[in-house]
Amino acid sequence: MTSAAVVSMEAENPWLNAQRQFDNAAAILDLSPGLREVLRDVRRELVVRFPVKMDAGGLRMFEGYRVQHNVTRGPAKGGIRFHAATDLDEVKALAMWMTWKCALVNIPFGGAKGGVVVDPAELSHRELERLTRRFASEISVLVGPESDIPAPDVNTSGEIMAWIMDTISMEAGYSVPAVVTGKPLDIGGSEGRPTATGRGVTIVAIEACHRLGTDPHGTTVAVQGFGNVGSVSAHLMAKAGFTICAVSDVTGGIYSEHGLDMDELMAHRTRTGGIAGFPGTRSVSNSELLELPVDVLVPAALENQISARNAGRIQARLIVEGANGPTTPDADVILEKRGITVVPDILANAGGVTVSYFEWVQDLQSLFWEEGEINERLERILRRAFAQMCEQADSHSTSLRLGAYLVAVKRVADATAVRGIYP
Ligand code: GLU
């Protein structure tokens, strides 16, 4: 392997990148060496290998992970992803990002993440259910409403959360709705949860426009990824006055400089099963989409999409990170030099976990709120966190990412200090 390839692989290891982001904040906060050691590693990591009965007969083995990065401020919280390319390092990074995300929006959770190495498109619905239930059982030594609360992430849905809730409940002998969030409404899910991440992306995009002195009306946007986060963000941003010029999914993207009618696009997707071939657009690849001449870029797919390889060619002036970890630290340096503002993932996509918190609270109290109240509370929390992030970034003359980390890491460090080290 060439040394350039080694450097690039290191630059794209999400765990090393997450630790580098933490180190930047720890240096400015002047954290003690001991505290740095505590916070820059994960608290618990569980690797499970388990068999699933396949429809055609026979068994197939799968590998999965549940990682708790930190539980100082409350139970561990974070989603579960099903993806062929996930691994322990990715899940560790995602768990650490959850800790900072929850601390930044100031909800009483630590950070966790889970993953199973699987392409769910290769499984039948029954196989997917058996895999989910067995994985839930395997990680039940960690999860629970007071200890660790999973949620949806890449390729996991409300239905999958229902299977997890049911599995844990059957093992307990009674219903445990608060063990998982992002559930269907019928079993203790929350109003507003399915749209919460995209709503949060929209709220912070508007705040960022105000900070940059621009108006969402007429501001052009490209959205990479058309899953739960990307599709809801595109829809709600269009409603807020932004012009959505490009969207993409795993198969590629579409672009029109005049903007896309989101209702017609949704109807096209329902009709054809995808976004490709939407009339009046030209097709673009996922990497071309990132370099389009638009004002705002919303990466809402996977990690490492904006790296040192393409950061110099990004034309947007504002990036709002719907995905976790879409921008590498090397790219951050380039974007900052070029004066491009990045609203970091730990704020931009925090709407999901914030409404997950509301769901958990409602489940524990068996008292449910209306959607209007949920959306209002969400907006208040995100706007407050946005202002606190900006205040830190401005007073230290740093990027918004570092500003967000300064708020979040300090909260976890202070909680650790005040609890003291056991025994
Ligand atoms: N998977 C989402 C995230 O990355 C939501 C996590 C949750 O609601 O616990 O923030």
Side-chain angles (χ1 to χ4, degrees):
M1 199 181 293
T2 65
S3 65
V6 173
V7 168
S8 138
M9 275 172 66
E10 273 177 11
E12 297 195 356
N13 178 322
W15 175 235
L16 297 181
N17 287 343
Q19 288 190 311
R20 187 167 149 196
Q21 290 165 339
F22 165 75
D23 289 340
N24 290 341
I28 297 183
L29 290 169
D30 202 18
L31 295 189
S32 70
L35 197 48
R36 281 185 211 204
E37 288 306 307
V38 172
L39 297 181
R40 80 190 299 282
D41 214 339
V42 300
R43 170 84 177 260
R44 300 186 178 111
E45 54 189 61
L46 174 66
V47 180
V48 294
R49 294 184 193 89
F50 55 96
V52 175
K53 283 187 208 149
M54 304 306 280
D55 291 347
L59 301 175
R60 194 174 140 192
M61 290 298 290
F62 291 89
E63 181 165 301
Y65 318 98
R66 184 70 184 172
V67 174
Q68 298 177 351
H69 168 255
N70 191 281
V71 290
T72 305
R73 287 169 39 92
K77 185 81 190 84
I80 290 174
R81 66 173 51 180
F82 288 172
H83 198 277
T86 196
D87 60 23
L88 187 57
D89 271 357
E90 179 186 63
V91 176
K92 284 166 70 172
L94 291 161
M96 183 192 256
W97 289 326
M98 286 307 302
T99 301
W100 312 138
K101 196 185 298 187
C102 293
L104 177 60
V105 292
N106 213 1
I107 57 179
F109 286 139
K113 206 77 176 198
V116 177
V117 187
V118 59
D119 176 1
E122 285 178 1
L123 301 186
S124 72
H125 196 246
R126 280 156 182 271
E127 288 167 341
L128 187 65
E129 178 172 352
R130 287 196 290 268
L131 173 131
T132 302
R133 287 181 178 279
R134 179 62 188 249
F135 178 63
S137 177
E138 292 289 336
I139 63 169
S140 65
V141 291
L142 288 182
V143 303
E146 278 105 30
S147 55
D148 184 347
I149 305 129
D153 197 74
V154 173
N155 292 333
T156 50
S157 60
E159 183 178 44
I160 289 173
M161 297 307 113
W163 292 331
I164 295 175
M165 180 271 197
D166 186 66
T167 302
I168 301 293
S169 299
M170 294 314 288
E171 289 184 356
Y174 48 87
S175 290
V176 193
V179 71
V180 65
T181 59
K183 301 178 294 295
L185 282 178
D186 295 328
I187 53 168
S190 177
E191 296 286 354
R193 178 61 186 85
T195 50
T197 311
R199 184 173 297 279
V201 167
T202 308
I203 292 166
V204 300
I206 294 169
E207 291 295 299
C209 283
H210 293 160
R211 178 176 163 89
L212 296 176
T214 57
D215 187 342
H217 289 267
T219 295
T220 57
V221 184
V223 181
Q224 187 200 43
F226 214 59
N228 173 263
V229 180
S231 66
V232 177
S233 300
H235 215 90
L236 294 180
M237 287 179 82
K239 266 195 172 167
F242 291 93
T243 303
I244 311 299
C245 291
V247 299
S248 65
D249 61 18
V250 275
T251 64
I254 52 171
Y255 171 61
S256 161
E257 61 187 77
H258 307 297
L260 311 168
D261 183 308
M262 292 311 296
D263 290 329
E264 281 178 21
L265 177 60
M266 292 299 185
H268 171 85
R269 187 170 71 150
T270 310
R271 233 182 6 256
T272 66
I275 57 175
F278 185 54
T281 62
R282 78 174 166 86
S283 62
V284 288
S285 69
N286 261 296
S287 50
E288 281 167 348
L289 176 134
L290 298 173
E291 298 171 21
L292 287 171
V294 290
D295 303 313
V296 182
L297 195 57
V298 180
L302 292 169
E303 299 91 61
N304 296 332
Q305 298 302 299
I306 304 171
S307 66
R309 278 195 286 266
N310 59 359
R313 294 193 301 271
I314 304 280
Q315 300 192 58
R317 305 315 297 161
L318 172 64
I319 298 174
V320 183
E321 295 184 330
N324 291 310
T327 311
T328 68
D330 287 342
D332 263 342
V333 174
I334 298 168
L335 296 171
E336 200 176 347
K337 269 199 202 124
R338 296 187 56 219
I340 297 171
T341 301
V342 180
V343 182
D345 46 6
I346 60 168
L347 179 64
N349 67 40
V353 75
T354 302
V355 178
S356 276
Y357 166 57
F358 300 157
E359 181 174 333
W360 178 75
V361 168
Q362 292 171 84
D363 288 339
L364 291 179
Q365 299 186 340
S366 299
L367 180 67
F368 290 86
W369 315 344
E370 286 175 7
E371 186 168 2
E373 184 179 356
I374 284 162
N375 292 343
E376 256 170 52
R377 282 179 186 256
L378 170 65
E379 181 156 359
R380 223 179 308 142
I381 286 177
L382 292 182
R383 288 170 67 155
R384 185 185 60 201
F386 189 93
Q388 290 168 341
M389 167 186 77
C390 292
E391 195 201 317
Q392 285 301 309
D394 293 343
S395 68
H396 293 273
S397 301
T398 65
S399 66
L400 294 184
R401 187 179 321 276
L402 202 40
Y405 269 67
L406 292 174
V407 176
V409 173
K410 182 166 189 322
R411 282 196 180 132
V412 181
D414 287 351
T416 311
V418 79
R419 279 182 62 158
I421 301 298
Y422 175 87

